[in-house]
Amino acid sequence: MKRKIVACLFSFLFVCVFASSMSAEEILNNSGAAVATDNSSAPEPLNRYARNNDKVNYGMLSELENYIYKITAWGYYEATINISYGKAGRFLGYGRSGFGSCIRIGNEIWTLAHVVTVSKMSFKYPGNNGTLYSLTPQKELEVHYEIIMNGDIRVPLKLKWMSKEMDIAIFALPENVTQSILEFPYKIGDDALLSEGDYVEIWGHPRATNRVNRRGGMTDKKILFSGDFDIVNAHQLFTANIVGHPGDSGSPVVAYSNKTGEPELVGFLHGGIPFDGYSTAGLPVFILKIGEYKWWRDGMLEKVE
């Protein structure tokens, strides 16, 4: 029997960001985005990314807390049938997502859609002593998105684009805190140049901790195509042998350049297979490719233009 990926590592989630006046389009074009490039004339190594962490440049890594912020969503929802309790009608309730990660790219905040999607709403049956019940919302009535800055300062976000099928959510950068939300300090890499066995890291907030946790492991593309798992849109993902936890969803995933030793953004943590079927930790983890993310965003930008 196929096992289904838990697409939102336990519904907790988070963010990573760095300040600049450049637009997202300028950042993407200047960084090489889908194919990251260097201004150096040195030839590109045969293997683009490192196989271990020997080349890790620790210059800015100790300051990651300055670039990582939490993100969450809450609101009011409606359902017209309550399958769990065998009752029909119009049910109104309140729901909140978990916490996850996001990063600032140019003047946008990038994260995953399931990070800011409410899966359960609470409501009360009239005359039932105020008992709270839970069910899956079917319609959004009022939704609020928030980025949580240091000191638990919550700033509202305006949704720009979202695709639940692609698991992508992009928000406009709040104008009143442009200088306070720092931009992701490393270039966008090219996931197509990853080889099986390359070293990658998750930078996230496992279990909603306030400190950024770095965990590394090797990529293992074979898992995606082994037939052991039922994966939606498998071509959009790659796998890594790293343990994921609640709160890791949306965390940036980086690989290290063999040429410079600098980290490059190659994806966002999407989910994992829980140990023994329980949502406590997952191995391996599944990572949404940065190339797929950028491809979808560029398509949305073309529609606007």
Side-chain angles (χ1 to χ4, degrees), residues 176-219:
N176 57 327
V177 291
T178 299
Q179 301 303 316
S180 300
I181 300 177
L182 304 180
E183 188 167 351
F184 191 72
Y186 301 108
K187 69 167 57 178
I188 293 177
D190 186 357
D191 58 84
L193 296 180
L194 283 170
S195 300
E196 187 173 351
D198 282 350
Y199 177 78
V200 295
E201 286 183 347
I202 299 170
W203 295 350
H205 293 259
R207 303 184 184 280
T209 57
N210 291 325
R211 300 287 304 274
V212 174
N213 178 273
R214 295 173 52 213
R215 278 151 291 144
M218 74 172 191
T219 58

Side-chain angles (χ1 to χ4, degrees), residues 4 15 42 49 62 76 81 90 115 121 128 131 145-146 228 240 263:
K4 188 81 173 178
V15 58
Y49 295 113
S62 61
Y76 300 95
I81 185 169
R90 184 170 182 260
V115 170
M121 73 180 203
N128 201 20
T131 302
Y145 304 100
E146 296 174 333
D228 292 336

Side-chain angles (χ1 to χ4, degrees), residues 1 17 23 85 107 179 242 250 264:
M1 178 180 294
V17 276
S23 68
Y85 300 96
N107 290 323
Q179 301 303 316
I242 307 173
E264 297 181 3

Side-chain angles (χ1 to χ4, degrees), residues 126-148:
N128 201 20
N129 298 323
T131 302
L132 284 175
Y133 295 87
S134 177
L135 73 157
T136 302
Q138 296 169 315
K139 182 180 179 181
E140 298 176 345
L141 300 178
E142 180 182 332
V143 185
H144 300 268
Y145 304 100
E146 296 174 333
I147 186 169
I148 305 173

Side-chain angles (χ1 to χ4, degrees), residues 15-54:
V15 58
C16 191
V17 276
F18 189 100
S20 166
S21 60
M22 296 177 71
S23 68
E25 198 63 27
E26 290 172 319
I27 292 292
L28 293 173
N29 291 335
N30 291 343
S31 67
V35 180
T37 59
D38 260 326
N39 292 326
S40 168
S41 59
E44 189 72 27
L46 180 62
N47 296 314
R48 170 60 173 263
Y49 295 113
R51 307 291 275 185
N52 52 51
N53 62 352
D54 291 348

